[in-house]
Amino acid sequence: MTVDCLVEDKRWADIEALAQLATDSTFARLGLEPSVFEISLLACNDTRIAALNEDFRGKPRPTNVLSWPSDERGAAVDGEMPVPPQPGPDAELGDIAIAYETCLAEAEAAGKPMRDHTLHLLVHGTLHLLGFDHERDRDATLMEGLETEILGKLGLCDPYRDD
């Protein structure tokens, strides 16, 4: 998997390695060959992501992560697997943006290491690019289950479990 990182906020010191780990782990779980796909990642701050959130979602506030899939891959039936991407000369899956301050605040509030929360958000964003969503109940259950499984294989706790 090629993750093309644009680091606008230098506090994202290890974001490229974390992005590669998150995307490779997600692809491995789904049985997809990561080397034939590309993702663009913007590692930014709250100001930048708030502008993107307003432009694309009409919500003028920071958020942790945003995703823009290159194609619609979502499942027609709630809870079914999305259509997998096809490798080819134009195998760009889409774009992800992640905001430093929001990610850090969420990690601190949850008592989790920043690295762990960042990996979760990158897995989450990658799943969105692959057609997974959490708008419908069974879709959310599927997506959250995959996130938990992928993160578990990385040695991280279930991000949806309250301790």
Side-chain angles (χ1 to χ4, degrees):
M1 158 94 33
T2 300
V3 181
D4 182 24
C5 293
L6 173 59
V7 181
E8 287 187 350
D9 188 318
K10 299 302 180 202
R11 292 175 290 179
W12 284 114
D14 58 349
I15 193 67
E16 292 183 43
L18 293 177
Q20 199 67 54
L21 179 60
T23 56
D24 286 351
S25 298
T26 302
F27 272 71
R29 167 54 186 87
L30 296 173
L32 298 169
E33 173 54 48
S35 66
V36 297
F37 298 103
E38 293 183 15
I39 291 174
S40 295
L41 174 67
L42 172 64
C44 61
N45 61 26
D46 275 4
T47 301
R48 177 82 150 114
I49 210 162
L52 293 169
N53 202 21
E54 181 171 24
D55 289 348
F56 291 96
R57 298 177 63 220
K59 299 179 179 184
R61 61 183 176 275
T63 189
N64 52 19
V65 67
L66 293 170
S67 302
W68 296 272
S70 61
D71 290 311
E72 174 55 48
R73 296 180 182 89
V77 176
D78 187 10
E80 288 190 359
M81 292 291 285
V83 176
Q86 297 301 309
D90 187 24
E92 169 65 39
L93 296 180
D95 305 321
I96 297 172
I98 187 166
Y100 189 85
E101 294 96 340
T102 297
C103 186
L104 179 62
E106 289 174 349
E108 289 175 347
K112 296 179 181 179
M114 175 72 162
R115 177 186 182 278
D116 294 2
H117 189 54
T118 300
L119 279 169
H120 174 216
L121 294 176
L122 292 170
V123 167
H124 184 90
T126 302
L127 286 170
H128 275 309
L129 297 184
L130 293 168
F132 292 89
D133 209 332
H134 42 81
E135 296 301 315
R136 301 177 296 190
D137 290 342
R138 291 176 56 202
D139 287 343
T141 299
L142 175 62
M143 185 173 179
E144 290 172 8
L146 285 168
E147 288 174 51
T148 299
E149 184 180 338
I150 293 163
L151 294 171
K153 288 185 179 187
L154 294 173
L156 305 181
C157 295
D158 180 348
Y160 297 103
R161 187 181 75 211
D162 290 329
D163 291 333

